[in-house]
């Protein structure tokens, strides 16, 4: 017979983690690890690196858990730590491309709804993963994780203008890749 652990609310788990209870840390980890691995995968070059980022992120979560004030969701708080931890890990282990600020931000292309609608989420994630590190970081932080250009600039040590131009360029590249994929599918089906 399998022993089932009692269910605890997030606040109870947080309190128990603050008290240093290993079992609570394990439960919290099990509850959020798969979602947070997905966050780390967006910043990593491969799954092993994402798992390292995840471990580093949880070490930071448990080290800062007493700082969680209950403002907003706990999952959102953990996600922000994972993003910061992943970027820090990436910087430490990879030579980042120099981000060049364009004098004028490139005009954002409008999305092609028909092409995007035929694209599956896994295909889009692969396209995002294929972006150069600078473009990928800014795109993920802005479009997926909801950071402002000011926050991105502060975290990455670049100007807001550089963040905006990196996002614009990333979107243009993604649009081009989506259209190519859509044309391949159309030509293959036709």
């Amino acid at each position: 017979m399998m022993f089932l652990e009692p269910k605890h609310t997030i606040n109870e788990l947080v309190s128990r983690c603050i008290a240093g209870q290993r079992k609570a840390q394990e439960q919290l980890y099990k509850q959020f690890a798969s979602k947070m691995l997905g966050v780390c995968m967006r910043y990593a070059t491969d799954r092993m690196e994402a798992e390292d980022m995840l471990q580093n992120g949880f070490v930071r979560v448990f080290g800062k858990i007493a700082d969680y004030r209950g403002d907003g969701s706990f999952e959102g708080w953990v996600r922000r730590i994972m993003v910061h931890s992943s970027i820090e890990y990436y910087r430490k282990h990879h030579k980042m491309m120099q981000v060049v600020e364009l004098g004028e931000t490139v005009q954002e292309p409008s999305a092609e709804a028909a092409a995007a609608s035929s694209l599956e989420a896994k295909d889009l994630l692969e396209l995002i993963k294929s972006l150069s590190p600078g473009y990928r970081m800014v795109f993920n932080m802005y479009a997926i994780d909801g950071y402002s250009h000011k926050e991105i600039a502060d975290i990455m040590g670049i100007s807001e203008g550089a963040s905006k131009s990196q996002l614009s360029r990333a979107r243009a590249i993604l649009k081009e890749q989506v259209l190519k994929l859509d044309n391949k599918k159309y030509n293959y089906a036709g």
Side-chain angles (χ1 to χ4, degrees):
M1 180 157 83
M2 194 168 117
F3 175 73
L4 296 175
E5 295 179 20
K7 293 285 182 189
H8 297 281
T9 67
I10 293 297
N11 289 339
E12 290 171 337
L13 282 175
V14 168
S15 295
R16 291 175 57 219
C17 287
I18 291 170
Q21 294 180 14
R22 291 267 187 232
K23 202 71 167 160
Q25 289 177 339
E26 184 181 330
Q27 284 180 279
L28 205 62
Y29 179 87
K30 284 179 181 177
Q31 188 166 344
F32 290 102
S34 64
K35 280 185 183 178
M36 295 306 131
L37 181 61
V39 170
C40 295
M41 287 290 293
R42 292 197 313 266
Y43 293 94
T45 55
D46 59 33
R47 185 175 179 92
M48 278 182 54
E49 187 174 71
E51 289 171 355
D52 287 345
M53 290 173 172
L54 180 72
Q55 295 307 317
N56 289 345
F58 270 106
V59 167
R60 185 173 283 168
V61 164
F62 293 129
K64 294 183 170 210
I65 200 158
D67 296 342
Y68 176 65
R69 295 184 309 265
D71 304 337
S73 77
F74 182 73
E75 183 178 330
W77 183 81
V78 171
R79 181 180 301 273
R80 283 186 85 79
I81 289 176
M82 289 296 163
V83 168
H84 284 267
S85 183
S86 295
I87 291 168
E88 187 178 292
Y89 181 96
Y90 192 91
R91 276 188 182 156
K92 186 176 180 181
H93 292 89
H94 297 277
K95 185 177 174 184
M96 286 284 283
M97 281 182 27
Q98 198 68 331
V99 178
V100 178
E101 183 171 352
L102 301 176
E104 225 175 90
T105 302
V106 179
Q107 186 72 333
E108 272 187 35
S110 63
E112 299 289 338
S117 68
S118 68
L119 196 64
E120 292 183 29
K122 66 180 173 75
D123 296 327
L124 185 56
L125 289 174
E126 284 302 311
L127 291 178
I128 293 169
K129 197 172 184 111
S130 73
L131 291 170
S132 69
Y135 293 156
R136 188 176 76 235
M137 298 280 182
V138 171
F139 182 85
N140 280 326
M141 291 176 77
Y142 185 86
I144 297 174
D145 293 317
Y147 285 82
S148 69
H149 286 295
K150 179 171 180 9
E151 290 171 315
I152 295 168
D154 292 344
I155 292 166
M156 294 188 66
I158 59 176
S159 70
E160 285 185 58
S163 176
K164 290 176 184 177
S165 65
Q166 292 288 301
L167 176 64
S168 178
R169 185 68 186 124
R171 284 181 171 165
I173 291 167
L174 289 172
K175 178 184 176 185
E176 186 178 310
Q177 290 176 334
V178 165
L179 291 173
K180 281 181 186 176
L181 272 179
D182 195 52
N183 285 337
K184 281 183 186 177
K185 286 180 182 178
Y186 177 75
N187 290 333
Y188 181 73

